[in-house]
Structures are given as structure tokens and as C-alpha cells.
Amino acid sequence: MHFPLTASGEADVHAGEKLMEKLREKNIRIPVIVCSSLNYRIPEADACVWYSEHNNWEWELGKLVKKFSK
């Protein structure tokens, strides 16, 4: 994930990793699904979806959201 860490800050390319680290530090357990145009495999994430016009990423993401919302 690539977003600013503060309201007036610049976008940080490591924001997603920093968010996941903060969640772990605070012992907050929520499912994390990474959706990226790069074919990431992130061990700390519960799942990864490759966003590509050649993949049925919407179906895959929907399946994962249903799985983790149970």
C-alpha cells in the first residue's frame, strides 16, 4: 500500500508494511488481503490478489472477502 502516514504527509511506499507492523505491535488481528498490480506473495498477509486485466481478480477477491467475513 502506498499512502501518506499523516494528513499532511507525503505518500510512503512502505505504508502497507508499516500498517501491518503496527497492527501486530498492538495485537490487533484482522484479515489482511493485499491486492496489487505486482504479483506479491507477502507472508504476513492472509492472502494476496494479483490485480491484472488478464486475471479474474474480482472473483478471487470476492471469494477471499467472503471467506474472511465468516
Side-chain angles (χ1 to χ4, degrees):
M1 291 180 274
H2 184 180
F3 54 86
L5 296 172
T6 62
S8 60
E10 300 237 351
D12 185 333
V13 296
H14 299 288
E17 291 95 343
K18 290 177 181 179
L19 172 63
M20 290 173 59
E21 183 178 327
K22 283 288 184 195
L23 292 172
R24 275 193 309 275
E25 286 173 4
K26 295 179 181 273
N27 204 27
I28 298 172
R29 182 68 184 121
I30 60 170
V32 175
I33 302 170
V34 174
C35 184
S36 175
S37 60
L38 301 175
N39 196 7
Y40 282 125
R41 294 290 175 239
I42 300 172
E44 296 85 7
D46 293 284
C48 298
V49 174
W50 181 22
Y51 170 82
S52 168
E53 63 185 50
H54 304 292
N55 291 342
N56 193 351
W57 66 272
E58 291 130 325
W59 175 82
E60 187 178 348
L61 180 60
K63 190 171 101 175
L64 289 167
V65 168
K66 286 179 187 175
K67 173 184 171 184
F68 291 122
S69 64
K70 289 182 182 181

